[in-house]
Amino acid sequence: MLPFIRQDLAELTAYTPHPGGASGESAHSESVLDRLDTNECPYDLPEELKQKLAWTYQQLIETNRYPDGGHAALKQALAQYVNESQNIPPLDKGGLGGVKLPKTAITADNISVGNGSDELIRSLLIATCLGGAGSILVANPTFSMYGITAKTLGIPVVSVPRQEDNFEIDINSAKRAILSKGCANGQNQNPPVRIVFVVHPNSPTANALTTNEIEWLSTLPENILVVIDEAYFEFSQNTLADRLHQHPNWIILRTFSKAFRLASMRVGYAIAHPQLAAALEKIRLPYNLPSFSQTAAEFALAQRQLLLAVIPEIIAERAKLIAALTHHQKLQVWPSAANFVYLRVKAALSESAQQEHQQIMQQLKQRGTLIRHTGGGLRITVGSPEENQRTVDRLAAIVT
Ligand SMILES: *Cc1c(COP(=O)(O)O)cnc(C)c1O
């Protein structure tokens, strides 16, 4: 390690979505693989939308100019979308003079936009925990980026388990961890927990937050930030946005990378108390979002009915996939509130189960389907009907 680089970075490895994938062990090139390992929507933007976007790029975007550093138009559209998604009438339709705004109405001041929600996660860590100011709490298995990003900033990560059968957070462990500042042995080496990260529904386990879990989050003190990652909101149709006004210490993260089909554009957004949104605005880089990405996100919002129209198909496909996989005696398959399915090999010895998971993932890859081995199980994205059929057939050939 070069002597000027922080010691603790030496232990970390760069994030690669396909560990070992570049070594050429697969017989297929990336483009012909069924890529069911990163939970994207299986469909690209419709052709006419892509053409309009290309036209906008050619006619309206000045590539020599910096993008809109305030994301004004996008924030406006996002506020409207969020209000719509929690059944609140749009604010600025005119003619509403004198009508009192509902308490929960979201405005542009409640929104901050990031280069993917990954950027927002990092900004939140900087805003709350940097320089020994705090630790974070996660319930594993969960989205790995919280822990990975925290470690790159030297922020301690406190992990608590989930129930084995339904993946509910072990709330008692979480309470104890918060009380003891994350130190099981009582020696308070870690700074206090400043952020609790939850995903709603969770990845990789696909379960939405339960009433119990939400109740617990509601009781957390105001000096702990609760990050509710709703990356899969459009699939679950289950949001906590309408409760934000009761909890200034809650923030909701969402993304254009999943249901909105814009993973390549890197757009995520946060919905929060205006002071927290303002803190995120201070921390982010001034021109964090390219003009083309902003335009694409605005397009996607304007065309949301069209883009989100495939969600019923994906949910129906999810049910078919779960039914087919459940046929295998050997597999335990969990219900899903998202666009992916989580399963494990039923096995008495968990070590051999992990080897089997690894083998299943490898053999699927050789047959042309990429899935994710994570959190002690397998996560499979719901793809197109053809892809899902191939998943079922290929798994049937492997799992005997
Ligand atoms: C996919 C995903 C995201 C999206 O991250 P981006 O940086 O916006 O692409 C965020 N959180 C979770 C839990 C996810 O699964």
Side-chain angles (χ1 to χ4, degrees), residues 158-359:
V158 178
S159 305
V160 298
R162 293 170 178 270
Q163 315 289 351
E164 280 293 310
D165 52 344
N166 59 12
F167 300 116
E168 277 184 41
I169 297 167
D170 182 341
I171 292 175
N172 285 330
S173 290
K175 285 180 177 168
R176 274 199 304 276
I178 288 171
L179 279 175
S180 68
K181 301 186 185 176
C183 276
N185 59 9
Q187 291 168 358
N188 294 344
Q189 308 239 318
N190 285 343
V193 169
R194 277 282 166 263
I195 308 188
V196 172
F197 280 100
V198 294
V199 196
H200 183 46
N202 189 42
S203 174
T205 55
N207 53 314
L209 287 170
T210 63
T211 314
N212 248 350
E213 290 170 321
I214 295 168
E215 192 56 40
W216 167 63
L217 296 174
S218 308
T219 63
L220 287 172
E222 294 208 342
N223 60 1
I224 295 181
L225 174 64
V226 177
V227 178
I228 301 157
D229 189 335
E230 294 188 351
Y232 302 97
F233 158 69
E234 284 80 10
F235 302 102
S236 72
Q237 287 301 315
N238 193 345
T239 180
L240 290 174
D242 55 350
R243 299 179 62 162
L244 273 181
H245 69 284
Q246 300 168 318
H247 301 287
N249 61 325
W250 285 16
I251 185 168
I252 289 177
L253 300 184
R254 294 204 192 143
T255 180
F256 283 83
S257 298
K258 306 288 159 56
F260 276 111
R261 315 188 195 182
L262 294 183
S264 67
M265 298 287 168
R266 311 301 302 127
V267 189
Y269 60 102
I271 319 161
H273 189 284
Q275 285 175 24
L276 180 49
L280 289 172
E281 293 293 290
K282 288 183 201 174
I283 287 165
R284 70 173 174 79
L285 297 176
Y287 300 111
N288 62 334
L289 210 58
S291 302
F292 195 63
S293 296
Q294 294 188 44
T295 304
E298 287 166 37
F299 259 70
L301 281 176
Q303 299 288 333
R304 56 186 173 270
Q305 283 200 317
L306 177 69
L307 296 183
L308 302 181
V310 297
I311 286 182
E313 176 200 287
I314 290 173
I315 289 172
E317 282 293 308
R318 177 180 78 198
K320 275 168 59 184
L321 189 60
I322 290 177
L325 299 179
T326 306
H327 268 301
H328 293 281
Q329 292 281 310
K330 209 172 168 181
L331 301 179
Q332 179 163 13
V333 187
W334 277 269
S336 169
N339 65 331
F340 54 88
V341 172
Y342 192 64
L343 56 106
R344 286 178 178 169
V345 169
K346 296 178 196 163
L349 277 174
S350 64
E351 208 169 299
S352 70
Q354 291 324 308
Q355 281 172 10
E356 276 199 69
H357 291 149
Q358 191 64 24
Q359 280 167 6

Side-chain angles (χ1 to χ4, degrees), residues 90-106:
L91 302 181
D92 49 4
K93 275 275 156 75
L96 280 177
V99 179
K100 252 189 123 191
L101 298 178
K103 249 196 316 208
T104 50
I106 296 297

Side-chain angles (χ1 to χ4, degrees), residues 57 72 96-97 102 115 128 130 138 143 150 167 169 179 186 237 379 396:
Y57 177 58
L96 280 177
N115 193 276
T128 57
L130 205 62
V138 296
F143 188 48
F167 300 116
I169 297 167
L179 279 175
Q237 287 301 315
R379 192 192 69 190

